[in-house]
PDB file of all heavy atoms in Angstrom:
ATOM      1  N   GLY A 128      -1.533 -22.403  -2.955  1.00  0.00           N
ATOM      2  CA  GLY A 128      -0.176 -22.769  -2.657  1.00  0.00           C
ATOM      3  C   GLY A 128       0.796 -21.786  -3.271  1.00  0.00           C
ATOM      4  O   GLY A 128       0.411 -20.753  -3.787  1.00  0.00           O
ATOM      5  N   PRO A 129       2.108 -22.067  -3.110  1.00  0.00           N
ATOM      6  CA  PRO A 129       3.111 -21.131  -3.613  1.00  0.00           C
ATOM      7  C   PRO A 129       2.959 -20.850  -5.119  1.00  0.00           C
ATOM      8  O   PRO A 129       2.491 -21.695  -5.873  1.00  0.00           O
ATOM      9  CB  PRO A 129       4.443 -21.845  -3.298  1.00  0.00           C
ATOM     10  CG  PRO A 129       4.101 -22.772  -2.198  1.00  0.00           C
ATOM     11  CD  PRO A 129       2.711 -23.234  -2.437  1.00  0.00           C
ATOM     12  N   THR A 130       3.386 -19.668  -5.497  1.00  0.00           N
ATOM     13  CA  THR A 130       3.424 -19.309  -6.921  1.00  0.00           C
ATOM     14  C   THR A 130       4.856 -19.295  -7.438  1.00  0.00           C
ATOM     15  O   THR A 130       5.796 -19.488  -6.657  1.00  0.00           O
ATOM     16  CB  THR A 130       2.804 -17.936  -7.124  1.00  0.00           C
ATOM     17  OG1 THR A 130       3.688 -16.926  -6.616  1.00  0.00           O
ATOM     18  CG2 THR A 130       1.405 -17.840  -6.464  1.00  0.00           C
ATOM     19  N   LEU A 131       5.039 -19.017  -8.704  1.00  0.00           N
ATOM     20  CA  LEU A 131       6.350 -18.750  -9.196  1.00  0.00           C
ATOM     21  C   LEU A 131       7.031 -17.681  -8.337  1.00  0.00           C
ATOM     22  O   LEU A 131       6.406 -16.751  -7.884  1.00  0.00           O
ATOM     23  CB  LEU A 131       6.271 -18.248 -10.665  1.00  0.00           C
ATOM     24  CG  LEU A 131       6.039 -19.248 -11.770  1.00  0.00           C
ATOM     25  CD1 LEU A 131       5.970 -18.522 -13.131  1.00  0.00           C
ATOM     26  CD2 LEU A 131       7.112 -20.357 -11.806  1.00  0.00           C
ATOM     27  N   PRO A 132       8.324 -17.835  -8.140  1.00  0.00           N
ATOM     28  CA  PRO A 132       9.044 -16.801  -7.359  1.00  0.00           C
ATOM     29  C   PRO A 132       8.873 -15.424  -8.003  1.00  0.00           C
ATOM     30  O   PRO A 132       8.985 -15.281  -9.238  1.00  0.00           O
ATOM     31  CB  PRO A 132      10.492 -17.240  -7.406  1.00  0.00           C
ATOM     32  CG  PRO A 132      10.475 -18.708  -7.698  1.00  0.00           C
ATOM     33  CD  PRO A 132       9.245 -18.904  -8.543  1.00  0.00           C
ATOM     34  N   LEU A 133       8.587 -14.410  -7.185  1.00  0.00           N
ATOM     35  CA  LEU A 133       8.427 -13.049  -7.630  1.00  0.00           C
ATOM     36  C   LEU A 133       9.533 -12.200  -7.132  1.00  0.00           C
ATOM     37  O   LEU A 133       9.838 -12.220  -5.931  1.00  0.00           O
ATOM     38  CB  LEU A 133       7.073 -12.507  -7.168  1.00  0.00           C
ATOM     39  CG  LEU A 133       6.824 -11.002  -7.391  1.00  0.00           C
ATOM     40  CD1 LEU A 133       6.725 -10.713  -8.851  1.00  0.00           C
ATOM     41  CD2 LEU A 133       5.570 -10.528  -6.656  1.00  0.00           C
ATOM     42  N   ILE A 134      10.154 -11.417  -7.983  1.00  0.00           N
ATOM     43  CA  ILE A 134      11.140 -10.420  -7.629  1.00  0.00           C
ATOM     44  C   ILE A 134      10.490  -9.075  -7.878  1.00  0.00           C
ATOM     45  O   ILE A 134      10.094  -8.753  -9.007  1.00  0.00           O
ATOM     46  CB  ILE A 134      12.434 -10.562  -8.442  1.00  0.00           C
ATOM     47  CG1 ILE A 134      13.031 -11.965  -8.198  1.00  0.00           C
ATOM     48  CG2 ILE A 134      13.443  -9.471  -8.003  1.00  0.00           C
ATOM     49  CD1 ILE A 134      14.231 -12.286  -9.114  1.00  0.00           C
ATOM     50  N   ALA A 135      10.313  -8.297  -6.838  1.00  0.00           N
ATOM     51  CA  ALA A 135       9.619  -7.018  -6.882  1.00  0.00           C
ATOM     52  C   ALA A 135      10.608  -5.860  -6.781  1.00  0.00           C
ATOM     53  O   ALA A 135      11.371  -5.758  -5.825  1.00  0.00           O
ATOM     54  CB  ALA A 135       8.578  -6.907  -5.785  1.00  0.00           C
ATOM     55  N   ILE A 136      10.537  -4.965  -7.803  1.00  0.00           N
ATOM     56  CA  ILE A 136      11.487  -3.826  -7.868  1.00  0.00           C
ATOM     57  C   ILE A 136      10.641  -2.538  -8.049  1.00  0.00           C
ATOM     58  O   ILE A 136      10.247  -2.217  -9.162  1.00  0.00           O
ATOM     59  CB  ILE A 136      12.463  -3.991  -9.046  1.00  0.00           C
ATOM     60  CG1 ILE A 136      13.152  -5.364  -8.990  1.00  0.00           C
ATOM     61  CG2 ILE A 136      13.508  -2.837  -8.999  1.00  0.00           C
ATOM     62  CD1 ILE A 136      14.033  -5.675 -10.185  1.00  0.00           C
ATOM     63  N   PRO A 137      10.351  -1.845  -6.950  1.00  0.00           N
ATOM     64  CA  PRO A 137       9.540  -0.619  -7.073  1.00  0.00           C
ATOM     65  C   PRO A 137      10.342   0.523  -7.677  1.00  0.00           C
ATOM     66  O   PRO A 137      11.527   0.677  -7.434  1.00  0.00           O
ATOM     67  CB  PRO A 137       9.170  -0.325  -5.656  1.00  0.00           C
ATOM     68  CG  PRO A 137      10.245  -0.914  -4.806  1.00  0.00           C
ATOM     69  CD  PRO A 137      10.747  -2.150  -5.570  1.00  0.00           C
ATOM     70  N   THR A 138       9.652   1.355  -8.471  1.00  0.00           N
ATOM     71  CA  THR A 138      10.261   2.572  -9.006  1.00  0.00           C
ATOM     72  C   THR A 138       9.560   3.815  -8.430  1.00  0.00           C
ATOM     73  O   THR A 138       9.931   4.943  -8.799  1.00  0.00           O
ATOM     74  CB  THR A 138      10.175   2.610 -10.532  1.00  0.00           C
ATOM     75  OG1 THR A 138       8.769   2.601 -10.907  1.00  0.00           O
ATOM     76  CG2 THR A 138      10.884   1.407 -11.142  1.00  0.00           C
ATOM     77  N   THR A 139       8.571   3.618  -7.580  1.00  0.00           N
ATOM     78  CA  THR A 139       7.950   4.706  -6.815  1.00  0.00           C
ATOM     79  C   THR A 139       8.028   4.301  -5.341  1.00  0.00           C
ATOM     80  O   THR A 139       8.312   3.153  -5.016  1.00  0.00           O
ATOM     81  CB  THR A 139       6.498   4.911  -7.205  1.00  0.00           C
ATOM     82  OG1 THR A 139       5.736   3.733  -6.955  1.00  0.00           O
ATOM     83  CG2 THR A 139       6.340   5.285  -8.706  1.00  0.00           C
ATOM     84  N   ALA A 140       7.786   5.264  -4.482  1.00  0.00           N
ATOM     85  CA  ALA A 140       7.855   5.046  -3.039  1.00  0.00           C
ATOM     86  C   ALA A 140       6.490   5.328  -2.416  1.00  0.00           C
ATOM     87  O   ALA A 140       6.218   6.487  -2.068  1.00  0.00           O
ATOM     88  CB  ALA A 140       8.955   5.881  -2.399  1.00  0.00           C
TER      89      ALA A 140
END
Side-chain angles (χ1 to χ4, degrees):
T130 71
L131 282 179
L133 171 67
I134 301 171
I136 308 173
T138 61
T139 62

